[in-house]
Amino acid sequence: ASDAEIVQMNKVVSQMRALAISCAPYWQDYADSSRPGDRLAAVVIVQMSPDPKYLDWLAERFKVDRPFIFYHAALALQNMADECWMEARDKIKAVAKEALAQLQAFTGGEPDKKTVDILKIILERA
């Protein structure tokens, strides 16, 4: 996507965040959707309501979705690390490590530096 398209998509994500908590009851519908925009909505819900129960699904985003969703999935994982570290540290680190490996193996171009940096910060935690 071009820089202008990314700016527009980030505006949409910002609007999604404002609605995320009220849409949380529909998370499963968004998460199971074949539409990337719906899965992005599910990622945003996880960003706003981090819970380790979403970790396996979040890890899958780095395997099947597009780089824009990778970045927002990394933010969701970072929020989860910030809020759920004590209860799920090992699983969070495992997901971050696997996601970083997926990004580094991505053949669609150079991995997004911001996404890589977020994952490395999670892995550097004690």
Side-chain angles (χ1 to χ4, degrees):
S2 71
D3 289 343
E5 290 171 324
I6 291 172
V7 167
Q8 289 297 65
M9 290 188 298
N10 277 321
K11 285 181 182 179
V12 170
V13 168
S14 179
Q15 293 168 341
M16 287 178 169
R17 284 190 186 114
L19 299 170
I21 300 302
S22 63
C23 293
Y26 308 104
W27 180 84
Q28 195 67 55
D29 294 330
Y30 293 123
D32 292 342
S33 176
S34 62
R35 297 174 46 174
D38 289 347
R39 291 191 308 275
L40 177 59
V43 167
V44 172
I45 291 169
V46 175
Q47 284 179 357
M48 302 307 292
S49 299
D51 188 315
K53 71 182 178 186
Y54 301 122
L55 277 167
D56 291 333
W57 180 85
L58 202 56
E60 190 70 15
R61 304 295 45 95
F62 295 95
K63 296 175 186 173
V64 300
D65 278 309
R66 296 180 177 177
F68 185 76
I69 294 179
F70 296 169
Y71 173 72
H72 288 284
L75 287 176
L77 189 61
Q78 183 179 40
N79 289 352
M80 201 171 297
D82 291 344
E83 293 191 27
C84 309
W85 190 251
M86 294 309 292
E87 72 183 275
R89 179 187 68 214
D90 293 340
K91 181 74 174 182
I92 292 168
K93 280 189 141 183
V95 170
K97 184 177 180 180
E98 181 180 337
L100 187 57
Q102 289 288 332
L103 283 178
Q104 291 170 335
F106 184 65
T107 59
E110 193 70 26
D112 178 61
K113 181 177 176 3
K114 290 179 185 178
T115 306
V116 169
D117 289 347
I118 290 167
L119 295 171
K120 285 182 177 179
I121 287 168
I122 293 168
L123 291 169
E124 291 171 358
R125 285 186 162 191

